[in-house]
Amino acid sequence: MNESSLIYWLFCYLVGNFMTAYIVGKWKNIDLRKQSSENLGARNAGRVLGRSAFIITLLGDALKGALVIIYGQMMNFEQWILAVGMLFVIVGHIYPLWLRFHGGKGVATFIGAGLSLEPSLFCWMIVGTVLLLLIIRNLTIGMLGGFTFYIASFIWKGSFVIYSAVILSICIIIWKHYGNLLQILSHRE
C-alpha cells in the first residue's frame, strides 16, 4: 500500500458521492429523500418517478462502480486494492458526505463494480440471485442467494483474503437492507 492507493480510495469514495437518484429527482423538482422509502436508489426513484427514472438511476449508479474499477485497472493496481476501491465507492454511495450521509443502499453500484472487478466470479452472483428468485419470488431475498454464491466463488478460487473488502461491502449492503429483510420475513411467517 502506498500513497497512490490511498488517493485512489479517496477518489472512489468521492465518485460514490455522485447520487444519480438525487439528480434525477431534482430534475423533476422532487427530493427523493422525502418520498416513499426516502432512499436515493433506483428502486425508490422508479417507485416515485417511473420506469425511466429507475433505469437512469440504475445505469448511473452502476456506471460509477464500473468506472472506479476500470480506472484502477488502468493504473495497474493489484486486485485487493481494487476490491478496497469497490468498498469505498459503495460506502460513498451509501454515506455521501455532501448529503449528510443519506444515500442509497449500494446495490447498483455493487453490480457495476463487481462486474468490472472480476466478471467470471460475478456471474456466480447472478446465478445465485436468479436461482433463489425463482424459488422465493422476491428480489431482495434472491440477492442473498447471489451474495452467498459470490462469496463461495471467492473461497473456491482461493481468493477469500484478496476479496475480503468485497465481502465487507456485502455486509454493509445487507445491513442497509435489514429493515426490508425483516419486513419480508415477517410477512412470510
Side-chain angles (χ1 to χ4, degrees):
M1 184 173 66
N2 57 33
E3 187 177 309
S4 62
S5 57
L6 294 174
I7 292 169
Y8 171 66
W9 293 334
L10 176 61
F11 168 75
C12 292
Y13 175 78
L14 293 174
V15 170
N17 274 242
F18 178 82
M19 302 305 298
T20 311
Y22 182 83
I23 292 164
V24 169
K26 285 298 182 183
W27 184 51
K28 301 274 190 177
N29 293 317
I30 294 175
D31 187 349
L32 290 171
R33 296 173 299 167
K34 298 175 183 171
Q35 302 291 322
S36 194
S37 69
E38 301 178 352
N39 175 42
L40 288 174
R43 285 173 106 177
N44 196 39
R47 190 179 301 119
V48 175
L49 300 171
R51 184 179 298 172
S52 62
F54 171 82
I55 292 169
I56 291 167
T57 303
L58 178 72
L59 293 176
D61 289 348
L63 183 62
K64 70 183 175 187
L67 285 176
V68 298
I69 298 302
I70 292 167
Y71 174 72
Q73 291 166 338
M74 289 170 47
M75 298 296 292
N76 293 317
F77 286 127
E78 296 175 59
Q79 282 296 98
W80 75 270
I81 293 173
L82 298 175
V84 175
M86 181 175 175
L87 170 64
F88 274 99
V89 73
I90 290 167
V91 168
H93 175 80
I94 295 172
Y95 303 107
L97 182 66
W98 70 284
L99 291 174
R100 297 182 186 168
F101 307 105
H102 185 92
K105 293 185 179 178
V107 174
T109 305
F110 178 84
I111 291 169
L115 277 169
S116 301
L117 180 66
E118 187 72 59
S120 62
L121 295 181
F122 196 80
C123 287
W124 288 106
M125 172 77 189
I126 296 167
V127 168
T129 301
V130 169
L131 285 177
L132 199 54
L133 179 62
L134 291 172
I135 296 166
I136 303 293
R137 304 245 184 252
N138 182 285
L139 186 58
T140 303
I141 300 289
M143 181 179 67
L144 294 177
F147 287 149
T148 303
F149 274 53
Y150 195 34
I151 292 170
S153 75
F154 298 152
I155 296 167
W156 175 73
K157 189 179 177 186
S159 303
F160 186 81
V161 174
I162 292 170
Y163 294 113
S164 57
V166 177
I167 296 167
L168 182 55
S169 300
I170 290 170
C171 293
I172 293 169
I173 291 170
I174 291 171
W175 172 254
K176 289 300 290 183
H177 284 83
Y178 181 73
N180 300 73
L181 292 168
L182 281 181
Q183 191 174 36
I184 291 163
L185 294 174
S186 69
H187 290 299
R188 291 192 174 275
E189 293 178 342

